[in-house]
Amino acid sequence: MNQKYIGLMVLGTLVVYNGLKYIKIWYFQIPRLFLHRFIFAITLMASLFFLLFFFMLPTEIQESLVVGFGFVVLYPWLRKWGWLKLFWVSGTVTYFTVLVPFLYGKQPMNLLVLESISRFVIVSALMLPFEIYDSAHDPAELRTLPQRIGIPWTKRFGYFLGVVFVVLVFLNQDLHKLWAAISIAVLTVGAIYKTQPHQSKTFTAFWVEALPMVWAGLVYGFGG
């Protein structure tokens, strides 16, 4: 994958995450806490570098990113459909990390399909600990997945997604990715098993959010 695109994704993730989390503070009041000012400064700097990388990419990639930005902008309005939110995030991540890079690599269509489905599946599984934790704090009218089918069935669904992910990567016939997939699937299933609605937020806010970085380290560590 093009290094500029990887840099763009890292910066874009930082900007979008901080923007969605702190927009109310930045928009409705002047940040007074040092932490908020620091995060605002980092986000602003990341935005500038994001634009720099964006204009260095080919036109077809830029156009695809604009389409993807539309998915991100729609997210706050889709949150009221709790069950849809989870799969919308998974689809958006898949679009940016699989479908758009496909324009660079021109992979065979069968590999693209397998990679897209497997990415969607594992991101959906990674979202479940947050859904479980938030189920105790979300309004009942949101009807998120845990609120609809209950915590036990949500966890079983997550275990199922972990197995499906490993099978899909196996079908991709990439041994390096397979070992990384098994490792991240086990960690993800473990996180789903351990997550409870009324536990410390540190578990989901730090340990679970760190899993994608662990996954990237595993892929590169196994030679992927």
Side-chain angles (χ1 to χ4, degrees):
M1 191 189 300
N2 185 286
Q3 295 300 312
K4 295 185 182 68
Y5 187 80
I6 294 176
L8 187 84
M9 287 297 97
V10 172
L11 294 167
T13 301
L14 178 63
V15 172
V16 171
Y17 179 85
N18 288 343
L20 291 174
K21 188 172 184 178
Y22 297 103
I23 186 63
K24 291 183 179 179
I25 296 175
W26 297 341
Y27 185 78
F28 293 106
Q29 64 186 53
I30 299 175
R32 292 182 173 84
L33 294 177
F34 172 78
L35 177 62
H36 292 160
R37 291 179 178 178
F38 176 75
I39 293 174
F40 178 78
I42 292 296
T43 306
L44 181 61
M45 187 178 300
S47 301
L48 295 175
F49 279 101
F50 176 89
L51 291 174
L52 176 65
F53 281 124
F54 177 83
F55 288 112
M56 294 172 66
L57 294 173
T59 302
E60 61 179 349
I61 302 296
Q62 292 179 0
E63 292 172 349
S64 299
L65 289 173
V66 171
V67 173
F69 181 69
F71 300 153
V72 176
V73 170
L74 286 173
Y75 172 75
W77 282 272
L78 290 169
R79 293 187 69 180
K80 60 183 178 181
W81 289 290
W83 64 271
L84 178 61
K85 174 186 67 173
L86 184 154
F87 301 112
W88 187 269
V89 171
S90 302
T92 302
V93 171
T94 301
Y95 178 84
F96 281 116
T97 61
V98 179
L99 297 179
V100 176
F102 173 72
L103 298 176
Y104 276 118
K106 306 297 184 184
Q107 301 177 30
M109 185 56 66
N110 63 319
L111 293 181
L112 173 65
V113 172
L114 282 173
E115 187 70 23
S116 298
I117 298 174
S118 65
R119 187 65 49 85
F120 181 87
V121 166
I122 192 61
V123 174
S124 297
L126 284 166
M127 290 285 293
L128 290 180
F130 301 99
E131 295 292 302
I132 293 170
Y133 175 81
D134 290 339
S135 64
H137 313 281
D138 288 332
E141 59 268 19
L142 277 182
R143 301 289 290 162
T144 61
L145 192 65
Q147 291 173 334
R148 282 176 175 269
I149 66 176
I151 302 298
W153 276 106
T154 299
K155 291 189 174 189
R156 293 185 187 109
F157 178 59
Y159 306 153
F160 171 74
L161 291 179
V163 173
V164 171
F165 172 67
V166 173
V167 171
L168 288 170
V169 175
F170 175 77
L171 293 175
N172 227 346
Q173 298 181 344
D174 189 325
L175 182 60
H176 300 304
K177 286 185 178 181
L178 179 60
W179 285 113
I182 292 173
S183 300
I184 196 62
V186 169
L187 290 172
T188 301
V189 167
I192 294 170
Y193 175 78
K194 291 287 291 181
T195 302
Q196 299 297 331
H198 297 286
Q199 69 187 145
S200 169
K201 192 174 182 179
T202 304
F203 181 76
T204 51
F206 179 77
W207 294 109
V208 179
E209 285 191 6
L211 286 179
M213 291 182 284
V214 173
W215 183 16
L218 289 169
V219 170
Y220 286 105
F222 281 114

